[in-house]
Amino acid sequence: MEATSVRDVMQWLVERARTPLVVMASLLGFAELLHGHSLSDAVYRSPSIEARIHLAEHLGGDDAAPVDIEVRNTSDVPCDVEIALSDDLAQSFEQVAMIPEPSPGSPFSVRLERVLPGEERLVALELQGAEPGPHAGRVEITASPGDGLSIPIRTFVTH
């Protein structure tokens, strides 16, 4: 008899909790969509470099889009690394700020000199002022001629 009453109580609890849990999960998912959801931490590799890019997939119209590009030298020798944001993506935003400062003559490109074996460096960008809608482009990372990565990136700006 006790097992039946425990089972009845459990069934009653599940029935009463199901609706609030579904509503809460839906609201959390919607809030994440509104406040930006970061791209997965996929790792991109070439023979001598490894890279990760962090960018919100969804942005509000007035929000800045921070982009973090982490690059690591996986080779046994120091190398210079060039990181460039594609013109089509950069030009779809009113402002593009980069740290470190862009290379002279290349407003959307940064050169990291003498990245030591195993060393990781960060390039931080902030994109702001895009029209609502999808925006896509690429990040080109070159360690030496013939050794580089071309990583597609995208974000969606809401009004």
Side-chain angles (χ1 to χ4, degrees):
M1 190 73 149
E2 258 181 65
T4 303
S5 72
V6 170
R7 188 176 336 160
D8 291 342
V9 169
M10 292 303 293
Q11 183 176 358
W12 181 84
L13 285 172
V14 168
E15 288 173 3
R16 300 301 182 269
R18 181 177 297 145
T19 301
L21 288 174
V22 169
V23 169
M24 190 175 2
S26 298
L27 289 174
L28 287 172
F30 185 68
E32 185 174 334
L33 177 67
L34 287 178
H35 292 290
H37 173 49
S38 180
L39 290 174
S40 66
D41 289 342
V43 177
Y44 301 88
R45 292 182 176 89
S46 77
S48 62
I49 54 175
E50 175 178 285
R52 286 186 187 89
I53 297 180
H54 306 278
L55 167 69
E57 288 182 333
H58 300 91
L59 299 167
D62 297 328
D63 295 339
V67 181
D68 291 333
I69 304 168
E70 299 170 14
V71 179
R72 187 168 72 89
N73 179 353
T74 57
S75 74
D76 296 333
V77 296
C79 65
D80 293 343
V81 178
E82 186 82 23
I83 300 172
L85 189 62
S86 65
D87 287 339
D88 56 342
L89 181 64
Q91 291 174 359
S92 66
F93 289 86
E94 290 177 15
Q95 296 176 341
V96 177
M98 299 179 88
I99 299 173
E101 290 293 317
S103 303
S106 301
F108 311 122
S109 177
V110 171
R111 183 174 180 82
L112 304 175
E113 295 183 354
R114 193 160 167 73
V115 180
L116 300 174
E119 182 181 9
E120 185 171 301
R121 298 220 193 145
L122 173 69
V123 173
L125 291 85
E126 186 171 276
L127 310 174
Q128 194 159 14
E131 292 293 319
H135 299 276
R138 305 188 82 65
V139 172
E140 304 289 338
I141 303 172
T142 308
S144 63
D147 183 17
L149 298 167
S150 181
I151 303 170
I153 61 173
R154 63 180 165 66
T155 190
F156 188 90
V157 176
T158 59
H159 189 32

PDB file of all heavy atoms in Angstrom, residues 113-127:
ATOM      1  N   GLU A 113      54.147  39.821 -34.036  1.00  0.00           N
ATOM      2  CA  GLU A 113      55.533  39.471 -34.365  1.00  0.00           C
ATOM      3  C   GLU A 113      56.123  38.526 -33.344  1.00  0.00           C
ATOM      4  O   GLU A 113      55.868  38.629 -32.149  1.00  0.00           O
ATOM      5  CB  GLU A 113      56.368  40.743 -34.487  1.00  0.00           C
ATOM      6  CG  GLU A 113      55.918  41.608 -35.647  1.00  0.00           C
ATOM      7  CD  GLU A 113      56.776  42.832 -35.833  1.00  0.00           C
ATOM      8  OE1 GLU A 113      57.671  43.101 -34.989  1.00  0.00           O
ATOM      9  OE2 GLU A 113      56.559  43.541 -36.829  1.00  0.00           O
ATOM     10  N   ARG A 114      56.918  37.608 -33.873  1.00  0.00           N
ATOM     11  CA  ARG A 114      57.703  36.661 -33.078  1.00  0.00           C
ATOM     12  C   ARG A 114      56.871  35.967 -31.989  1.00  0.00           C
ATOM     13  O   ARG A 114      57.125  36.104 -30.795  1.00  0.00           O
ATOM     14  CB  ARG A 114      58.920  37.337 -32.482  1.00  0.00           C
ATOM     15  CG  ARG A 114      59.921  36.372 -31.925  1.00  0.00           C
ATOM     16  CD  ARG A 114      61.285  36.990 -31.798  1.00  0.00           C
ATOM     17  NE  ARG A 114      62.179  36.184 -31.007  1.00  0.00           N
ATOM     18  CZ  ARG A 114      62.735  35.036 -31.397  1.00  0.00           C
ATOM     19  NH1 ARG A 114      62.492  34.568 -32.586  1.00  0.00           N
ATOM     20  NH2 ARG A 114      63.534  34.377 -30.595  1.00  0.00           N
ATOM     21  N   VAL A 115      55.887  35.201 -32.430  1.00  0.00           N
ATOM     22  CA  VAL A 115      55.095  34.383 -31.515  1.00  0.00           C
ATOM     23  C   VAL A 115      55.916  33.119 -31.261  1.00  0.00           C
ATOM     24  O   VAL A 115      56.231  32.368 -32.178  1.00  0.00           O
ATOM     25  CB  VAL A 115      53.716  34.031 -32.115  1.00  0.00           C
ATOM     26  CG1 VAL A 115      52.909  33.182 -31.140  1.00  0.00           C
ATOM     27  CG2 VAL A 115      52.957  35.300 -32.497  1.00  0.00           C
ATOM     28  N   LEU A 116      56.294  32.919 -30.014  1.00  0.00           N
ATOM     29  CA  LEU A 116      57.182  31.815 -29.655  1.00  0.00           C
ATOM     30  C   LEU A 116      56.449  30.474 -29.671  1.00  0.00           C
ATOM     31  O   LEU A 116      55.222  30.425 -29.544  1.00  0.00           O
ATOM     32  CB  LEU A 116      57.783  32.062 -28.271  1.00  0.00           C
ATOM     33  CG  LEU A 116      58.616  33.337 -28.130  1.00  0.00           C
ATOM     34  CD1 LEU A 116      59.023  33.540 -26.677  1.00  0.00           C
ATOM     35  CD2 LEU A 116      59.826  33.283 -29.034  1.00  0.00           C
ATOM     36  N   PRO A 117      57.181  29.363 -29.817  1.00  0.00           N
ATOM     37  CA  PRO A 117      56.544  28.036 -29.784  1.00  0.00           C
ATOM     38  C   PRO A 117      55.751  27.848 -28.492  1.00  0.00           C
ATOM     39  O   PRO A 117      56.229  28.144 -27.400  1.00  0.00           O
ATOM     40  CB  PRO A 117      57.727  27.068 -29.838  1.00  0.00           C
ATOM     41  CG  PRO A 117      58.811  27.851 -30.519  1.00  0.00           C
ATOM     42  CD  PRO A 117      58.626  29.272 -30.065  1.00  0.00           C
ATOM     43  N   GLY A 118      54.499  27.417 -28.625  1.00  0.00           N
ATOM     44  CA  GLY A 118      53.630  27.202 -27.480  1.00  0.00           C
ATOM     45  C   GLY A 118      52.966  28.468 -26.951  1.00  0.00           C
ATOM     46  O   GLY A 118      52.054  28.397 -26.132  1.00  0.00           O
ATOM     47  N   GLU A 119      53.388  29.634 -27.414  1.00  0.00           N
ATOM     48  CA  GLU A 119      52.825  30.895 -26.929  1.00  0.00           C
ATOM     49  C   GLU A 119      51.449  31.139 -27.537  1.00  0.00           C
ATOM     50  O   GLU A 119      51.211  30.868 -28.712  1.00  0.00           O
ATOM     51  CB  GLU A 119      53.756  32.059 -27.283  1.00  0.00           C
ATOM     52  CG  GLU A 119      53.271  33.396 -26.778  1.00  0.00           C
ATOM     53  CD  GLU A 119      54.194  34.545 -27.152  1.00  0.00           C
ATOM     54  OE1 GLU A 119      55.137  34.363 -27.952  1.00  0.00           O
ATOM     55  OE2 GLU A 119      53.950  35.647 -26.636  1.00  0.00           O
ATOM     56  N   GLU A 120      50.545  31.679 -26.707  1.00  0.00           N
ATOM     57  CA  GLU A 120      49.213  32.039 -27.162  1.00  0.00           C
ATOM     58  C   GLU A 120      49.040  33.544 -27.039  1.00  0.00           C
ATOM     59  O   GLU A 120      49.437  34.134 -26.040  1.00  0.00           O
ATOM     60  CB  GLU A 120      48.157  31.334 -26.315  1.00  0.00           C
ATOM     61  CG  GLU A 120      46.750  31.554 -26.810  1.00  0.00           C
ATOM     62  CD  GLU A 120      45.748  30.676 -26.087  1.00  0.00           C
ATOM     63  OE1 GLU A 120      45.895  29.445 -26.138  1.00  0.00           O
ATOM     64  OE2 GLU A 120      44.842  31.248 -25.465  1.00  0.00           O
ATOM     65  N   ARG A 121      48.454  34.149 -28.077  1.00  0.00           N
ATOM     66  CA  ARG A 121      48.187  35.585 -28.053  1.00  0.00           C
ATOM     67  C   ARG A 121      46.732  35.834 -28.395  1.00  0.00           C
ATOM     68  O   ARG A 121      46.086  35.028 -29.049  1.00  0.00           O
ATOM     69  CB  ARG A 121      49.079  36.316 -29.059  1.00  0.00           C
ATOM     70  CG  ARG A 121      50.551  36.164 -28.727  1.00  0.00           C
ATOM     71  CD  ARG A 121      51.309  37.422 -28.934  1.00  0.00           C
ATOM     72  NE  ARG A 121      52.742  37.181 -28.898  1.00  0.00           N
ATOM     73  CZ  ARG A 121      53.613  37.821 -29.644  1.00  0.00           C
ATOM     74  NH1 ARG A 121      53.208  38.753 -30.490  1.00  0.00           N
ATOM     75  NH2 ARG A 121      54.893  37.559 -29.545  1.00  0.00           N
ATOM     76  N   LEU A 122      46.256  36.995 -27.958  1.00  0.00           N
ATOM     77  CA  LEU A 122      44.861  37.360 -28.145  1.00  0.00           C
ATOM     78  C   LEU A 122      44.765  38.633 -28.968  1.00  0.00           C
ATOM     79  O   LEU A 122      45.483  39.602 -28.717  1.00  0.00           O
ATOM     80  CB  LEU A 122      44.195  37.589 -26.778  1.00  0.00           C
ATOM     81  CG  LEU A 122      42.776  38.131 -26.785  1.00  0.00           C
ATOM     82  CD1 LEU A 122      41.800  37.087 -27.311  1.00  0.00           C
ATOM     83  CD2 LEU A 122      42.371  38.567 -25.385  1.00  0.00           C
ATOM     84  N   VAL A 123      43.863  38.625 -29.931  1.00  0.00           N
ATOM     85  CA  VAL A 123      43.498  39.829 -30.668  1.00  0.00           C
ATOM     86  C   VAL A 123      42.038  40.078 -30.329  1.00  0.00           C
ATOM     87  O   VAL A 123      41.189  39.195 -30.487  1.00  0.00           O
ATOM     88  CB  VAL A 123      43.690  39.659 -32.183  1.00  0.00           C
ATOM     89  CG1 VAL A 123      43.139  40.864 -32.941  1.00  0.00           C
ATOM     90  CG2 VAL A 123      45.154  39.439 -32.512  1.00  0.00           C
ATOM     91  N   ALA A 124      41.749  41.279 -29.808  1.00  0.00           N
ATOM     92  CA  ALA A 124      40.383  41.629 -29.411  1.00  0.00           C
ATOM     93  C   ALA A 124      39.832  42.670 -30.370  1.00  0.00           C
ATOM     94  O   ALA A 124      40.485  43.668 -30.656  1.00  0.00           O
ATOM     95  CB  ALA A 124      40.384  42.162 -27.984  1.00  0.00           C
ATOM     96  N   LEU A 125      38.640  42.426 -30.864  1.00  0.00           N
ATOM     97  CA  LEU A 125      37.956  43.353 -31.756  1.00  0.00           C
ATOM     98  C   LEU A 125      36.633  43.747 -31.128  1.00  0.00           C
ATOM     99  O   LEU A 125      36.070  43.000 -30.324  1.00  0.00           O
ATOM    100  CB  LEU A 125      37.653  42.701 -33.108  1.00  0.00           C
ATOM    101  CG  LEU A 125      38.797  42.384 -34.037  1.00  0.00           C
ATOM    102  CD1 LEU A 125      39.403  41.060 -33.708  1.00  0.00           C
ATOM    103  CD2 LEU A 125      38.288  42.373 -35.447  1.00  0.00           C
ATOM    104  N   GLU A 126      36.154  44.913 -31.514  1.00  0.00           N
ATOM    105  CA  GLU A 126      34.803  45.317 -31.131  1.00  0.00           C
ATOM    106  C   GLU A 126      34.156  45.907 -32.371  1.00  0.00           C
ATOM    107  O   GLU A 126      34.648  46.881 -32.937  1.00  0.00           O
ATOM    108  CB  GLU A 126      34.825  46.318 -29.992  1.00  0.00           C
ATOM    109  CG  GLU A 126      33.425  46.619 -29.493  1.00  0.00           C
ATOM    110  CD  GLU A 126      33.434  47.427 -28.230  1.00  0.00           C
ATOM    111  OE1 GLU A 126      33.559  46.818 -27.149  1.00  0.00           O
ATOM    112  OE2 GLU A 126      33.323  48.661 -28.341  1.00  0.00           O
ATOM    113  N   LEU A 127      33.081  45.268 -32.810  1.00  0.00           N
ATOM    114  CA  LEU A 127      32.339  45.702 -33.988  1.00  0.00           C
ATOM    115  C   LEU A 127      31.068  46.382 -33.497  1.00  0.00           C
ATOM    116  O   LEU A 127      30.378  45.863 -32.634  1.00  0.00           O
ATOM    117  CB  LEU A 127      31.990  44.500 -34.857  1.00  0.00           C
ATOM    118  CG  LEU A 127      33.139  43.554 -35.189  1.00  0.00           C
ATOM    119  CD1 LEU A 127      32.619  42.329 -35.920  1.00  0.00           C
ATOM    120  CD2 LEU A 127      34.200  44.259 -36.002  1.00  0.00           C
TER     121      LEU A 127
END
